[in-house]
Amino acid sequence: MREQIQTAQRLLGVQYLEFVYENGRTYGDHTYFLPCDQAEQDRLAVQHQVFLQALKGKLTTTPVTHATRRILDLGTGPGDWAAAMAKQYPHADVVGIDMAVWDLETTETASGGASVMWQLDDLDVWNDRTDPDPGEIISRLSSYNPFNDPVQREAAEMEAHRKQRETQSRPQTPALSDAATSIDLSVLEPEAQPGWNFSQSFDLIHLRNMKGSFAYWEEVYAEIYKSLRPGGYVEVVDYEVLAPDMQYSSTSTSADSTDTKYTLPTARKLYSSLLDASFRSGRPLGLFYMHKTFLEDAGFKDVRSMTVNVPIGQWPESEEQKRIGKLFLVVMIESLEPYLLRLLTKYGDRERKWSAEEIRESVEKAKQEMLEPGETGEQDEKLKGWCARFVWVTGRK
C-alpha cells in the first residue's frame, strides 16, 4: 500500500487516516455505511464483472473519443472501473477518488498495469447534517413499501429526500455585520466555501453504486456540472433489487387462494429492514438520486437512461442469463452482511436496533434459503423472479 496518496486539495499520509473498526469490519469513517476491508474489495471485484456482463462488455454508455482527455471515477472504491478505463483508453488521464484506502496495487496488477492517478479525499463537504426527527421518519416509513413497483418506490424516496433536506442543517454563508464594513476587505483571506476545487476540468465524471453516499444530491450534481468541461458527460450507475410479487405454493390454483407464501422470507425481512434503516440514517438507499430532474436542475442536457434487468440465480432459461445470474447471486450473498451491519446496529429498523449477532444469524438463514432447493428439488427455484434493475443515467454539459 502506498505511503502517501495525492489528493485534489492536500497530500495525506496513511498514518493520518481514520479507520473505524466495528463488529469485525473496517470502515473509512463514522458515517458511510459500507466497509473498506479486503472482504469488501473482493465483493466489489465480482460486482464489477456483473456490471461488465450487463453492459455486454462495455465500460460506459457515454462516447469516449480521442478528444476525451480527463476521466474522473468518483467514489472509485478499489478502482476496478477506473483501472479498466485507463487500460482501454491509454490516451486519457483517469483519476480515481475515494474517501478510504484500498489495496490499489492488487487492482492495478489485475488490470494489467493500468496507470491511474489515485486520489484520497472525502467529497461529502456538506456532511454537517443533523439527525432526522424520529417521528417524521416513522411517518414516512408507514407509507413506504420496499416491494412496490420501482416508480412508486421512487416517488416515496423523492418525497423522503425533500423532507429530509427541510430538517437538515445547511452550510450558510455568514452575513456581513455593520462592524465589518469598516474593515479593509482587500487584506483578508477569502473564506473557503463548500464545494470541490479540482485544478482541471474533466471530460467524463462517472459514479457507480453511490446510493447512500450523500445527503445533498442537488449540491453534488451542481459540483459535477462545475467540474466538467463544456460538452463533457456525467454517468451515474447503480442497481436496486426487485423482489417478485407473492408466490403461490404448488397446491394453489388462483390468486384468491389463501394457501400462499412469500419466497425467501428472511431475505425479504432483511431487505425491508435495510431500507428502513437507511431512511433513519437520512440517506435512503433507493435510486431516487438518479432521477433526471436532479441532472436537469443542475444544467445537464440530453439526459438519458438505460435499464437492464439482471436475474439473481440461474432460474432464467437463457444460458447467458444463467451465467450472469450465477455471478450476481454470489454478489448478493456476499452483500448481505456489509450492507446490514452498520445501518441496523446504528439506526435499526422501524421495530428496533439489531445486534451484530442477530444480523449474522439472519444473514446465514437468508443464505440457506437462497441456496437450498425448492419444493420440486430444483436449484434456484426459490429465487425465480428475483432480479435487480441496473440503471445507467447520462447527461451532457
Side-chain angles (χ1 to χ4, degrees), residues 282-350:
R283 303 183 181 200
L285 289 182
L287 300 191
F288 73 93
Y289 79 98
M290 302 176 70
H291 197 278
K292 68 176 184 178
T293 56
F294 281 105
L295 282 75
E296 290 173 343
D297 289 348
F300 286 101
K301 307 296 182 183
D302 300 329
V303 178
R304 301 177 182 180
S305 65
M306 186 184 79
T307 300
V308 175
N309 284 344
V310 174
I312 302 175
Q314 302 181 74
W315 54 267
E317 295 183 2
S318 162
E319 289 300 320
E320 180 182 7
Q321 289 290 290
K322 285 182 183 293
R323 285 193 296 271
I324 191 173
K326 181 179 181 180
L327 195 61
F328 191 50
L329 175 58
V330 174
V331 173
M332 293 306 300
I333 287 176
E334 296 304 320
S335 296
L336 291 172
E337 182 183 291
Y339 266 78
L340 293 163
L341 262 180
R342 174 169 269 190
L343 283 174
L344 284 184
T345 56
K346 186 174 182 179
Y347 298 101
D349 58 17
R350 68 187 75 189

Side-chain angles (χ1 to χ4, degrees), residues 174-305:
L176 191 64
S177 66
D178 293 337
T181 58
S182 61
I183 299 176
D184 183 0
L185 299 180
S186 64
V187 301
L188 296 180
E189 290 289 335
E191 183 177 352
Q193 296 298 314
W196 307 342
N197 299 290
F198 294 107
S199 58
Q200 300 180 58
S201 59
F202 295 92
D203 299 287
L204 168 62
I205 296 180
H206 173 266
L207 303 79
R208 190 169 76 182
N209 281 125
M210 294 294 284
K211 54 181 176 285
S213 299
F214 296 101
Y216 301 116
W217 280 104
E218 289 85 351
E219 283 79 359
V220 171
Y221 284 114
E223 291 298 325
I224 291 173
Y225 188 87
K226 183 183 73 175
S227 302
L228 283 167
R229 68 162 180 82
Y233 284 86
V234 61
E235 181 176 48
V236 192
V237 188
D238 215 325
Y239 69 85
E240 64 178 350
V241 173
L242 301 178
D245 292 332
M246 185 174 288
Q247 302 293 305
Y248 302 97
S249 70
S250 57
T251 59
S252 177
T253 58
S254 74
D256 295 326
S257 172
T258 58
D259 185 14
T260 60
K261 63 179 180 179
Y262 285 111
T263 59
L264 308 183
T266 306
R268 283 178 177 267
K269 168 60 179 172
L270 290 176
Y271 185 49
S272 179
S273 295
L274 170 68
L275 295 180
D276 283 0
S278 74
F279 268 78
R280 291 176 175 273
S281 75
R283 303 183 181 200
L285 289 182
L287 300 191
F288 73 93
Y289 79 98
M290 302 176 70
H291 197 278
K292 68 176 184 178
T293 56
F294 281 105
L295 282 75
E296 290 173 343
D297 289 348
F300 286 101
K301 307 296 182 183
D302 300 329
V303 178
R304 301 177 182 180
S305 65

Side-chain angles (χ1 to χ4, degrees), residues 63-138:
V64 179
T65 68
H66 286 290
T68 305
R69 294 299 179 183
R70 283 176 55 80
I71 299 171
L72 172 63
D73 187 21
L74 196 159
T76 190
D80 297 291
W81 185 87
M85 286 292 287
K87 186 70 174 179
Q88 186 164 333
Y89 303 104
H91 67 277
D93 293 329
V94 179
V95 178
I97 188 168
D98 201 87
M99 58 170 284
V101 173
W102 301 82
D103 181 6
L104 301 176
E105 280 76 9
T106 296
T107 301
E108 291 174 340
T109 300
S111 67
S115 178
V116 179
M117 181 183 298
W118 304 111
Q119 298 183 353
L120 179 67
D121 210 346
D122 184 358
L123 295 181
D124 190 4
V125 295
W126 310 275
N127 186 19
D128 64 342
R129 71 189 192 285
T130 57
D131 288 333
D133 176 68
E136 178 64 34
I137 292 172
I138 293 172

Side-chain angles (χ1 to χ4, degrees), residues 136-145 276 350:
E136 178 64 34
I137 292 172
I138 293 172
S139 175
R140 293 180 220 161
L141 290 177
S142 64
S143 60
Y144 180 75
N145 182 354
D276 283 0
R350 68 187 75 189

